Amino acid sequence: MKRPRSLFLLALLLLGGCAADGGPVGTGIAAISGNVVAVDTATDGATAESGLATALPFPVTVSIDEAPGIADTTDAEGNFELRGEFSGALTLRFRGDGIDATTPIDIPAGSVLVLEDVTLRRQSVEPANVRQLEFLGRIVMVDCVDDANGVLLVDDRAPGRNQFLVRISADTEITRRGGRPLACTALRVGDEVGIQGEVRLRTDRTIDALAIVVAPKNPPPDPGPVQPVRFTGTVVAADCTAEVLLLASVNGGTRVRLVPTTRYFTPDGHGGRRPIACTDLAPRGHVEGNGTVRLNNPGAIVAETIVFRPATRG
């Protein structure tokens, strides 16, 4: 059995490594998703209940300070998802009517972080739980107290190698790919692992492991970094079932992919715009939109927002 001092030294090594390695941009597509369930806009203190809404009273924009261009707006149920090439120490920001709240987060490259049942106050973010999913990395240090308890230092797959402290307890399920159970003492430096666990915001890259899989299945090849783009043109054809929009412009034809999260609008005649449906896209109408492309497949645009102006008659 190792003495507690070894765990303390391991924590110091982790903190030193985090300062030198990693950064806000990693490799592989990561995701941060969650749901906002309540907003408190009270001005008389963070614990005031008078401003607490049990349902989301207005859309909230969610973004990452260190990743400009990556943002999402909560839907009617408060759900949001940010997806892109980011990792390491980040600042997650929630903006809405009377709300501008941030929280520091740490996310391994190519992983998924889920914030469950978020309550927003004027300057604070309070999720009921935060889960770290699909973290694939390599063990660089093992310190097992016994077969069921210990800590790992794990590198993610970012170029600068963000490092995370993974805590193992009696509740952690450790297996080799295929399901064979393992003990903490069977883990070795250099092992490739997949990790799922729970994290607490505002901590030093520490994950309480719920499950660890040794030699996990490799993920599919990285489709490449995402680049935001604008597109414009005249509607040639729109097939909402096949999720395809064909546009003609002075530069030739453009093929746009329509996805369930694509939002459609049309000018309301008063300087604003109102929502419409995909089926309102009609031939010869004009489209301006925002979307994303993969840099290794620049011909495939995924639409995020489309503003449609019907063709004038005459």
Side-chain angles (χ1 to χ4, degrees), residues 299-310:
I301 298 176
V302 178
E304 294 179 345
T305 303
I306 289 176
V307 178
F308 172 73
R309 293 177 173 81

Side-chain angles (χ1 to χ4, degrees), residues 30-34 80-82 86 88 90 92 103-108 110-116 129-135 164 197-201 206-207:
I32 301 172
S33 64
F80 65 89
E81 181 180 43
L82 306 176
F86 51 77
L90 304 172
L92 190 62
T103 183
I105 59 171
D106 281 300
I107 182 168
S111 69
V112 176
L113 195 70
V114 180
L115 283 68
E116 299 177 350
N129 192 35
V130 183
R131 295 190 179 275
Q132 176 65 72
L133 309 177
E134 301 178 19
F135 172 17
F164 291 80
E198 296 180 346
V199 300
R200 291 171 296 278
L201 299 180
T206 300
I207 300 171

Side-chain angles (χ1 to χ4, degrees), residues 8-21 141 152-155 162-166 204-207:
F8 175 72
L9 291 175
L10 180 55
L12 291 179
L13 286 171
L14 173 70
L15 295 177
C18 288
D21 296 329
M141 186 175 292
L152 308 176
L153 189 59
V154 179
D155 279 352
N162 302 299
Q163 293 184 340
F164 291 80
L165 187 69
V166 179
D204 299 315
R205 298 188 183 181
T206 300
I207 300 171

Side-chain angles (χ1 to χ4, degrees), residues 92-167:
L92 190 62
R93 183 175 299 274
F94 295 78
R95 277 200 183 104
D97 187 6
I99 293 290
D100 188 359
T102 63
T103 183
I105 59 171
D106 281 300
I107 182 168
S111 69
V112 176
L113 195 70
V114 180
L115 283 68
E116 299 177 350
D117 297 340
V118 177
T119 295
L120 297 178
R121 304 192 188 276
R122 293 180 67 85
Q123 294 182 323
S124 67
V125 180
E126 301 172 11
N129 192 35
V130 183
R131 295 190 179 275
Q132 176 65 72
L133 309 177
E134 301 178 19
F135 172 17
L136 300 180
R138 182 176 62 86
I139 297 175
V140 295
M141 186 175 292
V142 181
D143 194 340
C144 294
V145 175
D146 52 37
D147 283 347
N149 298 274
V151 291
L152 308 176
L153 189 59
V154 179
D155 279 352
D156 72 358
R157 297 185 173 184
R161 296 296 185 189
N162 302 299
Q163 293 184 340
F164 291 80
L165 187 69
V166 179
R167 290 175 174 165

Side-chain angles (χ1 to χ4, degrees), residues 193-263:
V193 290
I195 298 168
Q196 295 190 20
E198 296 180 346
V199 300
R200 291 171 296 278
L201 299 180
R202 310 174 189 90
T203 60
D204 299 315
R205 298 188 183 181
T206 300
I207 300 171
D208 293 321
L210 298 174
I212 298 175
V213 178
V214 178
K217 205 172 172 183
N218 283 328
D222 189 344
V226 174
Q227 177 72 37
V229 295
R230 290 184 57 82
F231 56 89
T232 183
T234 301
V235 176
V236 175
D239 189 330
C240 298
T241 302
E243 300 182 328
V244 173
L245 173 66
L246 299 180
L247 302 177
S249 67
V250 294
N251 297 320
T254 301
R255 182 183 179 93
V256 178
R257 182 184 168 206
L258 308 175
V259 295
T261 55
T262 302
R263 291 168 290 181

